[in-house]
Amino acid sequence: MLFTSYVIAAAAMIAAALYLILRLRLFVTTTTMLVGSLLLIYGPAALSFTLSSGQFGFLIRPLLGNIRVFSSMFPLIKEKIGDIDPVIISLNFSLALMYVGVIVGIELVGRLFSARATLTDAAVAKWSGEPVRDEQHGHLILLITISVLFLFMLFVSVRENHLGTIQHFYSIKGDNDARDAYRAHFADSPSYVYRVLLSAVAPMLVIWGFLAGTLRRRWPLVLAAVLLFLVAIIGKIELLSKAPPAFFLIQIALAGMLTFTNRISWRATVAGAFVVLLLIYTATRLIVILPEGASFIETVYSRVFEMENETLVENFAVFPALHPFMWGANIRPIAILTGVPYVPSYGLVSYIWHNTHDITSPTLSIADAWTDFSYVGVFVYSIIAGAICRGIDLTFLARGKSVVAIAVLSATFLGLFTLLTTALNTALFSGGLLLAPILAVILMTTMRMLSGPRVPLGKPGPPPF
């Protein structure tokens, strides 16, 4: 059965890769980013990690020689549950179900809105040959929104002394444990509203405001976007983690690329990989004090491709071997409706493997689906993820290369990354995968209602301010 599970998982991954290339084609959309990122992190990397019994750096060790190897959780997992094969079997079948569910969700939305899907596919195909358009008029609403968000984030940043937190963190030299302890107690804002705006809303409005202001030569809008960028990057750095500021800058770079092309060519891939590696390298050097004997390549490779897969194994090893399926107790609204105590699964997993409830190891969203509803949850959650991503594309890309489409695509990039490392509901709202597009629709609708009669593209309209 173990061998069969690997074969089925590998077949699902191959089918997903063929679907990405032949059906979705290599254009940048929310849908292609979803399928591509899943294959990158939880594709062959997941299979090789479990096949090697959780050996970190298994694939790159021959290239780097005698590298420092991170300690694996596999011995502890085997000690607690005995035979680990059933865990790997469940995980492999769940990964296969995930890919099937994502494809089903994408196709369902495409067939339900076939006319819109045809328009979207045509617009995406000719994206690179068209200029960037800004079809919105009356940008006063956008200017006010960006300005209010800037003032609110500036107020929180000053009140919580974010610059002082950053300065104290970097004053800790040569002691990564001390930095980790400081990060655990002082990083991130206690304000949930601020955290959501920082991660899900600010990047989209920075890009939208800057592109619209530049295209229309509305310099107050450009200035507001730049100021929002500055206060947002401070907030990202204040998280004291390498990923948030790096991914924020990657979102900006993605928006810049989309103003020219959306084709995933080998040149774009090489250039993109270089930019990503440069940003991650810089952020890692600034945030993390590498242990003696550890290399940058090993650290980043293990963090990106292996640690998430290990935490995925940790979750599947707990349920149901060490704890019964939770049947909704892991989801606060369901727990309230059913009258059972809300118990977040990450706390249980953390306590079982690390003897503390304070560690929240990032892992794929199907871990929560498995925790609550076993294979049914994995399949349904995956359908929802695929359907939402395809729905976002049909909503914003059907009219081609627009300022709003670029801003939304850049915002959903972070939402998809969040989907790879946490629960689906968290990715949809706190990560911005669904919240940012919803806000974009609200702003677009408001701007159209207040701007009066539409002006044909290419003709001057009334001053927006």
Side-chain angles (χ1 to χ4, degrees):
M1 185 61 73
L2 180 63
F3 175 76
T4 302
S5 72
Y6 275 110
V7 171
I8 291 175
M13 293 171 190
I14 293 171
L18 292 174
Y19 180 78
L20 173 64
I21 296 170
L22 302 178
R23 177 72 173 86
L24 299 178
R25 296 179 295 172
L26 297 179
F27 298 110
V28 178
T29 66
T30 308
T31 309
T32 56
M33 287 191 292
L34 170 66
V35 178
S37 60
L38 287 173
L39 286 169
L40 181 65
I41 309 298
Y42 298 100
L47 299 184
S48 66
F49 185 69
T50 52
L51 278 169
S52 66
S53 297
Q55 295 183 44
F56 283 97
F58 177 75
L59 292 179
I60 64 172
R61 199 175 304 148
L63 301 177
L64 298 181
N66 186 24
I67 63 172
R68 175 185 176 274
V69 179
F70 291 94
S71 58
S72 172
M73 287 293 296
F74 273 51
L76 178 59
I77 294 174
K78 291 178 180 178
E79 179 184 332
K80 279 191 177 279
I81 69 171
D83 186 10
I84 198 174
D85 286 356
V87 175
I88 304 302
I89 291 170
S90 299
L91 176 56
N92 287 342
F93 283 144
S94 294
L95 288 172
L97 268 179
M98 175 188 70
Y99 285 108
V100 174
V102 166
I103 293 173
V104 168
I106 294 169
E107 289 298 314
L108 278 176
V109 171
R111 292 180 185 277
L112 285 173
F113 304 96
S114 56
R116 188 79 178 185
T118 300
L119 287 174
T120 300
D121 293 341
V124 167
K126 61 182 182 180
W127 178 289
S128 299
E130 294 192 341
V132 180
R133 298 194 307 272
D134 180 21
E135 299 179 358
Q136 305 304 311
H137 297 276
H139 286 99
L140 179 61
I141 297 298
L142 181 60
L143 176 63
I144 292 173
T145 303
I146 294 175
S147 300
V148 170
L149 180 58
F150 162 72
L151 292 173
F152 172 75
M153 293 180 65
L154 179 64
F155 169 76
V156 174
S157 183
V158 172
R159 184 187 64 182
E160 297 178 357
N161 192 22
H162 288 178
L163 289 177
T165 301
I166 296 170
Q167 182 180 12
H168 188 278
F169 178 79
Y170 283 108
S171 69
I172 302 173
K173 307 291 186 181
D175 189 346
N176 207 49
D177 290 338
R179 281 194 172 184
D180 287 341
Y182 186 81
R183 180 188 298 114
H185 288 90
F186 299 103
D188 207 351
S189 170
S191 170
Y192 175 75
V193 173
Y194 174 85
R195 296 198 303 269
V196 171
L197 293 174
L198 176 65
S199 61
V201 178
M204 180 185 72
L205 291 181
V206 166
I207 294 167
W208 188 351
F210 185 82
L211 289 179
T214 303
L215 194 64
R216 298 278 185 175
R217 297 185 179 181
R218 308 305 183 191
W219 307 123
L221 191 55
V222 174
L223 176 61
V226 171
L227 291 174
L228 181 59
F229 168 81
L230 293 175
V231 76
I233 196 67
I234 291 173
K236 296 286 186 179
I237 296 173
E238 195 269 340
L239 296 172
L240 307 182
S241 175
K242 59 183 178 293
F247 276 97
F248 184 34
L249 295 177
I250 290 172
Q251 287 178 281
I252 303 296
L254 176 63
M257 186 196 83
L258 287 171
T259 60
F260 297 100
T261 182
N262 68 338
R263 295 183 183 274
I264 308 176
S265 62
W266 70 268
R267 289 187 179 89
T269 302
V270 171
F274 175 77
V275 171
V276 170
L277 286 175
L278 178 62
L279 290 173
I280 292 178
Y281 174 81
T282 304
T284 301
R285 287 297 187 186
L286 290 174
I287 299 293
V288 180
I289 301 173
L290 295 178
E292 185 177 354
S295 69
F296 165 76
I297 296 177
E298 169 217 0
T299 300
V300 172
Y301 177 86
S302 297
R303 183 65 187 84
V304 173
F305 295 105
E306 295 176 328
M307 289 186 179
E308 275 80 7
N309 282 299
E310 182 179 66
T311 55
L312 193 58
V313 175
E314 290 179 7
N315 279 265
F316 273 76
V318 170
F319 304 94
L322 300 176
H323 193 284
F325 290 118
M326 303 184 71
W327 303 113
N330 180 48
I331 305 173
R332 193 185 298 273
I334 295 179
I336 293 173
L337 289 174
T338 56
V340 298
Y342 166 65
V343 182
S345 61
Y346 62 79
L348 290 172
V349 174
S350 173
Y351 185 78
I352 287 173
W353 301 124
H354 305 284
N355 201 32
T356 176
H357 292 282
D358 296 332
I359 296 177
T360 56
S361 302
T363 196
L364 183 59
S365 59
I366 64 167
D368 278 292
W370 171 262
T371 294
D372 278 305
F373 307 113
S374 187
Y375 291 114
V376 174
V378 171
F379 189 56
V380 172
Y381 276 41
S382 301
I383 291 175
I384 293 172
I388 287 174
C389 288
R390 182 59 168 162
I392 292 171
D393 289 340
L394 299 192
T395 302
F396 292 96
L397 304 186
R399 295 181 66 86
K401 189 196 291 186
S402 69
V403 167
V404 178
I406 293 172
V408 170
L409 279 177
S410 302
T412 57
F413 172 83
L414 183 61
L416 290 170
F417 172 76
T418 310
L419 186 69
L420 300 181
T421 58
T422 190
L424 176 63
N425 59 307
T426 303
L428 294 180
F429 297 100
S430 298
L433 183 57
L434 188 57
L435 180 60
I438 289 175
L439 177 62
V441 169
I442 293 173
L443 283 174
M444 289 167 61
T445 303
T446 305
M447 291 163 68
R448 287 170 182 169
M449 290 175 59
L450 298 180
S451 63
R454 283 197 167 192
V455 178
L457 293 176
K459 295 183 179 182
F465 305 131

